[in-house]
Amino acid sequence: MRSRMFDSSLSLATPLLAESGINDSYRFATFSWVEVLVDCPGAQGLFTYALPPDLTVQAGDILTVPFGAQQVGAIAIHLLAQLPPDLPPTQVREVEEVVSTGFFPATYWTLLNQVADYYCTSLMAVIRVALPPGLLGRSQRRVRLIELKALDGIDPSGLSSVAQQVLSRLQAQKQGNYTWQYLQQKIPGADRGLRELLKQGWIESYLEPPATVRPKLRQAVTLVAASHLEGSLSPRQQEIIQALQREGGDLWLSDLLQLCRTSSGTVQTLAKKGCIVIQPREILRAEAGVTIAPDQPKELTPDQAQALATITSLSGFAQVLLHGVTGSGKTEVYLQAIAPVLQRGQSALVLVPEIGLTPQLTDRFRARFGSKVCVYHSALSEGERYDTWRQMLSGSPQVVIGTRSAVFAPLPQLGLIILDEEHDSSFKQDQPAPCYHARTVAQWRAELVNCPLILGSATPSIETWVSAKSNQDVNPPAPHYLSLPSRVRSRPLPPIEVVDMRQEFQQGNRTIFSRALQVALERLQERGQQGILFIHRRGHSTFVSCRSCGYVVDCPNCDVSLSYHHTHAEATQLLRCHYCNHTAIHPPQCPECSSPYLKFFGSGTQRVTQELAKHLPDLRCLRFDSDTTRTKGSHRALLTQFAQGDADLLVGTQMLTKGIDLPQVTLVGVIAADGLLHLPDFRASERAFQTLTQVAGRAGRGDEPGQVIIQTYSPEHFVVEAVQRHEYEPFVSAELLQRQTLRFPPHNRLALLKFSSPDPLAVQKTAKRIAAVLAPQQAESGYELLGPAPASILRVARRYRWQVLLKLPLNRAVELPDWNELRSLCPPNVSMTVDVDPLNLL
Ligand code: ADP
Ligand code: ZN
Ligand code: ZN
């Protein structure tokens, strides 16, 4: 076998396989070869195989193919009538078998190509996000008799003798079920017999995920400072460090061993050298073991009922913006919209923000739909992935809940897509390519499979709002606008008090808690109620510096300081970079002057909990942030603890804003809104409005009325005023005016060209050169060029970054630059990526 690396230009030129049913000339052509995506860690690109004459393969079929010395799962991507000229037929091996056919809907491959096209990237890059590796690998291929009883009276005499042998062996066994491998060992030539029986429809072939017993605790490996040791590491050890780096600095030990094909001895040596830390960590698979009491559909409020009626009346592709204030019962509308979809035998896809995928949310879906619910996201463990994949393979009606990448969940029979909190920026992938937005992809997908798409939010993104309010005669049709203007059971939205922290200071209050907040916190316990304290944390708010010499611990790879991380008393104290994830053990002394007085500054959650302990020692607090929820299952554990009343106050960051629906929470406090208000980004106001409204919306969701206190040094800021009055529309109007003046979306579109290189001069020169090529074309092509400019943090992960921004008009055809031509202008050590519709301008 020889592999051929995937070439994007080639694939886009070949006809789309998804259209093979439509295109007759294509259907009747004879294909003797197939390009497949093999499911094997480390296998890059597409591989070409020959089709045996008696095997019919279609794009999207799941196959088994020989790969090296193993047999692995594979997905047929392209059928080829001719072999590429550089590939001699003698080097091409044959496809073994078709495991499952018709699983991927025909439109699936059209979607992937559309994503590659729009986001200026290769199909392979899209496939990598869409179908994470390890989906099929190491599963057992099994066969089983289809209808044991129905076959009893059937005469097998028309079958070949080998097929008869296979059949009688299967019939002799109670379940009529064996692994493919076992039958191959027992019966010479079993393959042929099996294929014959498959064709006759007497047996079926399927993949059985490995059933492993998992311990509750597993060893996890975390990368810590290694750069100073690099010289002393063997090439093998360096490979392991690099693999860890690529995986984000954190892996299960067993996964690392497998990934690097190394022994645990080698890894232990690295731990002894201080490059990595190995610690046991809890695992939780598919949140199994948690039993959820089933619930019944709730009687809808008139607003909910009206929204549901509109949604269920839709047939085929349509978009809906469900604009419901916090606590208006959007989730209940989703649940009742999904029920008839399942009854029709179709499935539903529910996309939620990264931090919205809380156990509470999945529980609500499980309570309604039980085992039909599965969770799908990129951080799934191998076991979870198998379970999910297997459930999807079954094709039975189901509900898949997942984050961004789940928009690609290869779910057949899709009847409804829901994007909850559609305004959330985690739906956009910043890097690596494809820099797709799940909302955009969901729109295409809904259109392709001809089903409705619901976009839900209390604070819709300005883009979605504008399109829902626009003229309906556009293509694709603008979203229907449905509103849930009040909370269920006529509960009021909580009153919001804005406290001017400048006055607090003038009046002698030197703490980070205003007097109003202190009083409210004291009352919590008296009344047996609970509260949430929100802290907006920026990456470098907890830097470590030396009290003697002023030395600040910086990231060796980026132009930022390291943040202090400490989860609990016994845990190793770590310093971590929020940009490249570089992790180091907190040094016992100042590396500069050896003073032992290294102190961390800033007001992270940890500092706030310490301050609380000082001022309100009786208040029981729980920290809820990326430190305390790093381990799997800790989300659930912390929320359960809080819901059970083990604490009075939950102190945390952005994670608190979504998906938390606890009726006993009456108080929400925001420590300093200012961090949100003054970010150098044209979307800063929109994000601040969304975050503050969402976090305020956690209060008063039960029978007791809620109260919100926002502390700020800019009480007159228009965002703060709009949040305080719960005024979405006036805020959007003001914001739209500003955007128009500055010519930013939604009045136009953006494309960001990102350059990066380890060489600071090369990247600057390249960015300037490409800007110089683009600048003269502006008037003719219809775009406007900004830059080149260095990124606001110039160096990240040892790479220097520059960018060029293109502003594209909305309603006029624009001639986009030829990206490949631009790429060819980049020297080998400078990389260029295109971010279409970027959310973050670096
Ligand atoms: P949202 O997602 O809009 O913030 P939720 O769906 O979380 O709101 O609903 C808020 C609370 O109201 C939840 O506890 C939910 O169970 C409850 N709820 C929703 N709809 C109804 C209804 N029709 N009757 C009674 N309670 C409801
Ligand atoms: Zn010092
Ligand atoms: Zn860094």
Side-chain angles (χ1 to χ4, degrees):
M1 174 197 53
R2 244 206 56 192
S3 70
R4 197 168 61 78
M5 279 308 293
F6 183 80
D7 172 352
S8 66
S9 59
L10 208 149
S11 108
L12 290 177
T14 29
L16 291 187
L17 281 169
E19 289 163 6
S20 59
I22 307 162
N23 184 334
D24 272 357
S25 62
Y26 195 69
R27 193 196 298 168
F28 296 122
T30 35
F31 299 106
S32 309
W33 291 277
V34 60
E35 282 189 316
V36 306
L37 185 74
V38 296
D39 178 57
C40 184
Q44 299 261 323
L46 295 180
F47 295 84
T48 307
Y49 286 88
L51 293 173
D54 58 340
L55 206 64
T56 314
V57 171
Q58 289 169 356
D61 283 356
I62 296 170
L63 315 172
T64 43
V65 296
F67 192 75
Q70 333 166 29
Q71 285 189 358
V72 298
I75 299 169
I77 304 289
H78 291 116
L79 291 173
L80 303 176
Q82 278 177 337
L83 265 190
D86 59 333
L87 196 57
T90 47
Q91 290 189 15
V92 180
R93 291 165 81 178
E94 278 196 351
V95 171
E96 266 266 323
E97 193 50 65
V98 178
V99 178
S100 161
T101 188
F103 169 66
F104 287 100
T107 53
Y108 191 72
W109 303 102
T110 316
L111 180 76
L112 299 196
N113 273 294
Q114 199 167 346
V115 173
D117 220 26
Y118 184 83
Y119 290 105
C120 313
T121 182
S122 70
L123 178 62
M124 198 60 216
V126 182
I127 288 174
R128 249 182 241 130
V129 197
L131 304 170
L135 281 180
L136 307 161
R138 289 195 290 116
S139 294
Q140 250 187 355
R141 189 152 56 109
R142 302 187 69 95
V143 289
R144 64 180 159 228
L145 281 174
I146 283 183
E147 271 284 329
L148 216 48
K149 286 201 195 83
L151 291 179
D152 268 353
I154 279 183
D155 175 19
S157 58
L159 295 172
S160 70
S161 85
V162 63
Q164 288 186 26
Q165 279 181 56
V166 173
L167 188 65
S168 58
R169 204 169 259 273
L170 281 165
Q171 280 172 325
Q173 195 222 33
K174 213 165 154 203
Q175 278 85 29
N177 184 320
Y178 278 115
T179 67
W180 193 279
Q181 208 186 4
Y182 174 84
L183 292 170
Q184 277 174 325
Q185 280 166 5
K186 293 290 168 193
I187 304 163
D191 277 17
R192 228 171 354 102
L194 282 162
R195 240 176 258 158
E196 198 177 323
L197 290 171
L198 280 169
K199 239 188 201 150
Q200 300 285 337
W202 291 21
I203 61 171
E204 63 183 350
S205 149
Y206 66 101
L207 281 181
E208 168 101 333
T212 37
V213 185
R214 278 152 213 278
K216 282 239 165 66
L217 282 176
R218 267 170 90 185
Q219 296 294 112
V221 184
T222 308
L223 185 64
V224 297
S227 49
H228 63 286
L229 290 166
E230 235 156 55
S232 71
L233 297 181
S234 70
R236 191 80 193 100
Q237 290 170 330
Q238 283 181 16
E239 264 172 48
I240 296 173
I241 298 288
Q242 280 156 11
L244 254 176
Q245 250 158 9
R246 276 197 305 274
E247 298 294 322
D250 226 15
L251 268 182
W252 295 119
L253 177 60
S254 54
D255 290 352
L256 180 69
L257 295 181
Q258 197 200 338
L259 188 75
C260 301
R261 299 185 206 283
T262 184
S263 69
S264 69
T266 316
V267 179
Q268 298 289 353
T269 313
L270 283 171
K272 283 200 199 99
K273 289 198 169 197
C275 302
I276 55 173
V277 177
I278 307 176
Q279 279 177 324
R281 198 181 288 172
E282 195 183 350
I283 60 154
L284 204 82
R285 181 171 157 173
E287 288 158 11
V290 182
T291 42
I292 298 148
D295 81 338
Q296 292 301 316
K298 294 187 170 59
E299 193 180 323
L300 297 182
T301 65
D303 288 331
Q304 284 176 318
Q306 205 184 346
L308 182 68
T310 308
I311 292 166
T312 44
S313 74
L314 300 170
S315 64
F317 173 65
Q319 292 187 71
V320 170
L321 168 57
L322 182 61
H323 183 186
V325 298
T326 55
S328 59
K330 292 184 289 294
T331 314
E332 187 62 34
V333 175
Y334 302 153
L335 291 169
Q336 298 199 23
I338 291 171
V341 173
L342 296 176
Q343 263 158 25
R344 285 201 298 271
Q346 292 183 306
S347 295
L349 183 57
V350 182
L351 302 172
V352 299
E354 244 143 54
I355 50 179
L357 194 59
T358 57
Q360 240 205 343
L361 181 91
T362 47
D363 284 359
R364 281 169 81 175
F365 281 81
R366 289 217 168 94
R368 196 66 58 87
F369 304 118
S371 59
K372 290 201 179 75
V373 175
C374 62
V375 176
Y376 186 90
H377 54 90
S378 52
L380 285 185
S381 73
E382 215 174 291
E384 291 165 327
R385 209 174 265 165
Y386 280 122
D387 296 349
T388 316
W389 179 243
R390 189 183 177 193
Q391 179 156 353
M392 286 198 277
L393 266 174
S394 77
S396 61
Q398 56 196 287
V399 184
V400 172
I401 309 180
T403 51
R404 182 175 66 222
S405 66
V407 73
F408 296 111
L411 195 59
Q413 311 287 351
L414 200 53
L416 177 66
I417 306 178
I418 294 168
L419 216 103
D420 189 28
E421 313 286 7
E422 65 83 34
H423 63 276
D424 196 275
S425 53
S426 72
F427 285 123
K428 173 76 160 70
Q429 174 148 318
D430 274 339
Q431 57 158 354
C435 301
Y436 67 99
H437 198 304
R439 186 177 57 219
T440 309
V441 180
Q443 280 160 354
W444 295 333
R445 191 161 185 194
E447 213 176 338
L448 282 168
V449 303
N450 200 26
C451 77
L453 167 68
I454 305 177
L455 306 172
S457 178
T459 51
S461 68
I462 292 189
E463 275 92 346
T464 303
W465 168 262
V466 167
S467 69
K469 289 286 166 179
S470 72
N471 188 346
Q472 296 285 314
D473 291 336
V474 286
N475 192 22
H480 298 266
Y481 180 76
L482 302 177
S483 162
L484 305 175
S486 44
R487 287 188 159 180
V488 294
R489 301 215 171 112
S490 322
R491 285 170 191 146
L493 283 169
I496 298 178
E497 184 181 344
V498 175
V499 179
D500 186 343
M501 291 306 277
R502 294 168 304 191
Q503 277 181 17
E504 289 287 314
F505 190 79
Q506 275 163 19
Q507 289 161 10
N509 180 1
R510 296 285 182 268
T511 71
I512 54 172
F513 309 111
S514 62
R515 285 156 301 172
L517 186 57
Q518 288 179 25
V519 171
L521 287 170
E522 278 162 21
R523 279 202 199 131
L524 272 185
Q525 260 187 332
E526 288 165 22
R527 298 185 180 171
Q529 295 172 346
Q530 288 183 308
I532 285 179
L533 212 51
F534 172 75
I535 296 137
H536 172 74
R537 195 169 70 162
R538 289 159 74 180
H540 42 86
S541 60
T542 49
F543 64 96
V544 176
S545 94
C546 170
R547 281 205 232 170
S548 311
C549 76
Y551 173 85
V552 174
V553 187
D554 283 332
C555 176
N557 311 321
C558 314
D559 295 339
V560 295
S561 49
L562 294 179
S563 300
Y564 178 74
H565 285 261
H566 191 214
T567 47
H568 53 95
E570 311 85 59
T572 316
Q573 297 183 27
L574 297 174
L575 301 179
R576 181 171 285 133
C577 171
H578 283 274
Y579 287 85
C580 73
N581 213 22
H582 168 88
T583 307
I585 295 174
H586 188 281
Q589 304 163 335
C590 172
E592 204 62 21
C593 74
S594 303
S595 153
Y597 298 106
L598 269 181
K599 186 180 182 312
F600 56 89
F601 288 92
S603 78
T605 39
Q606 194 176 14
R607 158 128 186 261
V608 171
T609 37
Q610 282 168 354
E611 291 283 311
L612 278 169
K614 223 173 357 177
H615 296 286
L616 299 162
D618 294 336
L619 202 68
R620 298 166 305 156
C621 303
L622 268 181
R623 259 177 79 195
F624 192 68
D625 56 30
S626 55
D627 275 352
T628 57
T629 55
R630 252 180 107 69
T631 53
K632 266 194 142 181
S634 48
H635 253 113
R636 174 184 287 280
L638 276 173
L639 282 180
T640 309
Q641 255 179 298
F642 186 62
Q644 284 169 352
D646 292 355
D648 308 305
L649 192 66
L650 199 58
V651 181
T653 50
Q654 253 74 340
M655 290 187 167
L656 291 176
T657 53
K658 311 261 154 62
I660 295 182
D661 176 41
L662 295 171
Q664 65 273 35
V665 171
T666 55
L667 174 69
V668 165
V670 176
I671 289 294
D674 307 80
L676 273 166
L677 299 173
H678 312 296
L679 293 172
D681 183 331
F682 76 92
R683 283 185 224 268
S685 294
E686 183 183 357
R687 284 209 191 122
F689 179 84
Q690 288 161 347
T691 306
L692 291 174
T693 303
Q694 296 285 352
V695 75
R698 302 306 109 199
R701 294 166 80 91
D703 293 330
E704 294 297 324
Q707 176 192 12
V708 179
I709 297 175
I710 297 181
Q711 305 190 155
T712 175
Y713 291 88
S714 334
E716 67 291 337
H717 196 287
F718 83 111
V719 167
V720 175
E721 289 186 344
V723 170
Q724 184 177 20
R725 297 193 197 122
H726 302 285
E727 284 182 346
Y728 175 81
E729 278 198 59
F731 162 74
V732 172
S733 307
E735 181 64 16
L736 275 172
L737 265 177
Q738 285 210 0
R739 301 269 182 101
Q740 189 156 32
T741 321
L742 301 169
R743 275 172 299 130
F744 269 118
H747 299 289
N748 56 7
R749 284 177 52 211
L750 302 176
L752 185 67
L753 275 63
K754 303 193 268 196
F755 302 91
S756 80
S757 169
D759 178 348
L761 280 178
V763 66
Q764 181 175 357
K765 255 170 76 180
T766 309
K768 286 191 170 158
R769 182 157 169 220
I770 285 179
V773 171
L774 292 174
Q777 301 171 15
Q778 290 184 80
E780 198 182 320
S781 307
Y783 56 76
E784 182 191 340
L785 181 128
L786 266 81
S792 61
I793 294 172
L794 179 60
R795 192 178 59 125
V796 166
R798 296 193 197 178
R799 295 182 74 89
Y800 295 82
R801 308 176 312 153
W802 278 69
Q803 61 188 34
V804 169
L805 185 66
L806 298 182
K807 287 184 171 178
L808 317 169
L810 277 189
N811 303 318
R812 198 149 64 84
V814 195
E815 202 173 313
L816 282 176
D818 180 339
W819 308 117
N820 286 332
E821 200 181 304
L822 291 183
R823 269 198 195 100
S824 69
L825 296 176
C826 297
N829 64 347
V830 177
S831 78
M832 178 187 117
T833 49
V834 186
D835 187 348
V836 178
D837 306 331
L839 280 192
N840 290 314
L841 302 182
L842 297 184

